Amino acid sequence: MFDYETLKLAWWVLIGVLLIGFALTDGFDLGAAALMPFVGRDDDERRVVINTIAPHWDGNQVWFITAGGALFAAWPMVYATAFSGFYWAMLLVLFALFVRPVGFDYRSKLPNSRWRSSWDWALCLGAVVPSLVFGVAFGNLFLGLPFQFDNDLRLAFAGSFWHLLSPFALLCGLVSLSMLCLHGGTWLMMRTEQAMAQRARRAAQWSLLVYLVAFIATGAWLVLGNLQGLVVASAFDPGAVLNPLAKVVALNNHGWLDNYGRYPLSKLAPGLALLGAALSFAAVTARCSGWAFLGSSLVIVGTLCTAGFALFPFVLPSSLDPASSLTVWDAVSSQKTLGIMLVVASIFVPLILCYTLWGYFKMWGRLTAGHIKANDHGLY
């Protein structure tokens, strides 16, 4: 079996993979739902949008649930601290996600236009809110959360929900929202035809423009602003048992850029995001929907890796007491727990990927308003 240090690093990678898997799969249906009122001009067209994502959305959220379960088991202190710091934000996301299954099932139960329009906007809002909050949460990781541990490792949190809504965090939320709308727009380009595909194309173009401006502005804020990142300033044993307070943390990592100088290969992450954006732009312009979707997927992978590499080894930085910040090395479960979970994950994560791909394969194809009318009782 792997040594403790290797297991800690492996679980940092695996949780990152699960979050990326969630963003790639659930990201396009969140983005498509957010764009639905604008891409679909009438009831039949909006039902087209719904039917491109409704067969997949619940399967896509398995990645989210798996990532949450892995976080609970592999990083219990991170799980407890994050759910304390992001408590109201988590509830907001949860209530927004509640709207989705109800909206998909009840939206077409009545032929009343006001009833259906209300559910359309509810589904849109239920997609916009999580997409925005996820980015806000990542933005707050760069700013640090106001928590600290006492000598008995009891947690004290000094912030509030409104504390999370700083300008920098909201800018990161805009990065997330526009990125997922781009992904949703390229998805709808692949799954719809004619006028709807053209409107999805325009939505993807605007989303890409907003993403590029917000992504570059976020990087400029980190580089040019007075935002200091953290660095572990004391010697420590990465394979030792957990004790978050057994380290010295200093505020001398300007803009969270140290890792990009220490590990030159990490610079590939922002480069991948910009390469994906360029590919998306070229493919959307040329109406090559498959390549556009690949480009938006690269944007997501590059963006999340950019954040993860910049923060490493920190998982949950503290602005109140930097020494209380949780890292990959000191916020994990026991070696035996990580080892058992790694075996389980190596079996079930590929299974999740296989049945997800099988579901897409069996339900693939472009949908049209005519197809919706011809199958009025068989579709959402």
Side-chain angles (χ1 to χ4, degrees):
M1 185 56 68
F2 298 113
D3 60 68
Y4 202 12
E5 180 182 352
T6 303
L7 285 171
K8 291 176 179 180
L9 188 59
W11 271 99
W12 177 76
V13 173
L14 185 56
I15 290 177
V17 168
L18 291 173
L19 291 176
I20 289 173
F22 166 67
L24 288 175
T25 55
D26 210 39
F28 73 72
D29 66 57
L30 287 171
L35 295 175
M36 178 179 60
F38 311 101
V39 174
R41 295 291 176 83
D42 56 33
D43 181 67
D44 289 331
E45 289 187 345
R46 292 182 180 185
R47 289 184 66 202
V48 168
V49 175
I50 290 173
N51 279 278
T52 66
I53 59 178
H56 306 292
W57 76 270
D58 47 355
N60 293 340
Q61 289 199 336
V62 170
W63 291 94
F64 188 42
I65 296 169
T66 305
L71 189 66
F72 171 76
W75 292 343
M77 296 185 71
V78 174
Y79 182 91
T81 306
F83 272 70
S84 296
F86 294 123
Y87 182 78
W88 290 107
M90 294 287 188
L91 280 181
L92 184 61
V93 169
L94 188 62
F95 288 136
L97 293 178
F98 283 166
V99 174
R100 309 192 76 208
V102 179
F104 288 136
D105 285 338
Y106 281 88
R107 187 258 180 206
S108 295
K109 294 294 185 183
L110 297 177
N112 183 275
S113 59
R114 180 174 296 179
W115 167 271
R116 293 189 173 190
S117 179
S118 298
W119 279 114
D120 289 342
W121 284 103
L123 285 169
C124 176
L125 188 63
V128 169
V129 169
S131 301
L132 185 66
V133 172
F134 291 147
V136 169
F138 264 97
N140 276 281
L141 295 184
F142 287 95
L143 300 173
L145 292 177
F147 71 91
Q148 64 179 352
F149 294 102
D150 63 15
N151 291 331
D152 296 320
L153 295 184
R154 290 176 298 189
L155 174 67
F157 186 82
S160 67
F161 172 76
W162 303 111
H163 176 269
L164 302 176
L165 303 179
S166 65
F168 178 80
L170 290 172
L171 179 61
C172 292
L174 184 59
V175 172
S176 174
L177 177 60
S178 58
M179 177 177 71
L180 296 186
C181 285
L182 167 65
H183 203 41
T186 57
W187 169 260
L188 292 176
M189 284 178 63
M190 289 196 301
R191 299 300 308 277
T192 61
E193 293 182 344
Q194 299 173 349
M196 287 191 66
Q198 177 62 20
R199 289 195 289 270
R201 173 175 170 266
R202 286 200 297 268
Q205 289 174 322
W206 280 106
S207 299
L208 177 59
L209 177 62
V210 174
Y211 166 80
L212 283 173
V213 172
F215 184 68
I216 293 172
T218 301
W221 194 317
L222 290 172
V223 174
L224 303 176
N226 191 28
L227 185 59
Q228 288 292 335
L230 306 181
V231 64
V232 178
S234 61
F236 67 100
D237 180 7
V241 296
L242 67 90
N243 183 3
L245 300 180
K247 64 181 182 296
V248 176
V249 176
L251 284 166
N252 61 354
N253 180 2
H254 182 68
W256 290 96
L257 297 178
D258 277 10
N259 281 343
Y260 291 107
R262 189 177 295 113
Y263 310 109
L265 285 178
S266 62
K267 296 177 183 177
L268 293 176
L272 183 64
L274 295 176
L275 175 64
L279 177 59
S280 286
F281 175 78
V284 168
T285 302
R287 294 178 172 81
C288 298
S289 57
W291 286 102
F293 188 76
L294 175 62
S296 64
S297 299
L298 294 179
V299 166
I300 289 174
V301 174
T303 302
L304 292 182
C305 287
T306 297
F309 292 163
L311 290 167
F312 183 84
F314 292 93
V315 179
L316 206 60
S318 170
S319 60
L320 196 60
D321 176 27
S324 294
S325 299
L326 300 176
T327 71
V328 173
W329 314 119
D330 57 26
V332 297
S333 296
S334 67
Q335 182 174 359
K336 186 174 182 179
T337 300
L338 295 183
I340 293 173
M341 287 174 54
L342 187 62
V343 173
V344 173
S346 65
I347 297 172
F348 285 100
V349 170
L351 286 177
I352 294 173
L353 179 61
C354 287
Y355 81 65
T356 300
L357 293 176
W358 177 252
Y360 293 146
F361 173 74
K362 296 300 290 184
M363 300 177 190
W364 191 254
R366 292 182 182 268
L367 290 174
T368 64
H371 186 71
I372 292 292
K373 292 176 181 177
N375 298 272
D376 188 60
H377 298 289
L379 298 171
Y380 292 94

